[in-house]
Amino acid sequence: MIIFDARRVKAYEALHQIGGSAGLEKDYLEELWAELSLDQELFQEFVYYLEHHSFFDGASCSGYSLTDLYFYLFRRYEVSHDTGKNFADCDKEALVLESFMMMAKMKKDPDPYIRRLEKDPGMDLL
């Protein structure tokens, strides 16, 4: 008997649709898919995001959730673009996917990410 999980196919297609719309490279999306496929907890978070368009925040690493990582990346975007405001040109879906990638990598080797997060002003307020 073969058990087929259609959520995986739908998630894969959604990842490429969202990533393609955000202008992310196919190689990056395949790398993210590999990470999601290997981490069941993160995969469930991704499915939740697709269904609800928000983070469930069940997965965390060293006390940081996907929401924490998203706002860290969002602030970095604002600073790098010298805006300080939520402008329309900021692709929030790309930041969501980057948050998933950051969490996947952070779970494998948390120390470099924790140093970056702790160095960022305001992370202690999250």
Side-chain angles (χ1 to χ4, degrees):
M1 176 199 267
I2 296 175
I3 298 174
F4 183 73
D5 186 355
R7 292 176 315 154
R8 290 206 174 270
V9 174
K10 289 181 180 183
Y12 179 81
E13 290 172 350
L15 172 66
H16 280 273
Q17 180 183 15
I18 293 167
S21 296
L24 298 173
E25 297 290 326
K26 185 174 180 171
D27 289 345
Y28 178 86
L29 298 174
E30 288 298 323
E31 180 183 356
L32 178 54
W33 179 251
E35 296 293 345
L36 293 172
S37 296
L38 293 173
D39 186 325
Q40 187 62 26
E41 181 181 44
L42 211 50
F43 177 76
Q44 293 300 329
E45 289 277 350
F46 186 65
V47 169
Y48 184 90
Y49 177 80
L50 294 174
E51 293 173 349
H52 302 278
H53 209 68
S54 66
F55 295 123
F56 178 71
D57 274 344
S60 66
C61 181
S62 300
Y64 292 100
S65 68
L66 283 166
T67 301
D68 295 326
L69 301 183
Y70 175 83
F71 282 106
Y72 167 78
L73 293 168
F74 190 77
R75 276 197 308 277
R76 286 192 54 203
Y77 175 88
E78 289 174 338
V79 169
S80 70
H81 288 80
D82 198 27
T83 59
K85 295 184 180 179
N86 183 4
F87 283 104
D89 69 338
C90 175
D91 192 327
K92 288 148 190 85
E93 296 285 8
L95 291 178
V96 165
L97 296 181
E98 288 180 41
S99 300
F100 276 100
M101 181 67 90
M102 187 174 179
M103 179 63 78
K105 290 181 177 184
M106 186 175 174
K107 287 173 95 177
K108 290 179 180 177
D109 185 16
D111 292 339
Y113 294 94
I114 292 170
R115 281 193 296 274
R116 267 195 278 166
L117 290 163
E118 288 176 349
K119 191 166 71 170
D120 185 50
M123 279 308 290
D124 60 330
L125 301 176
L126 295 176

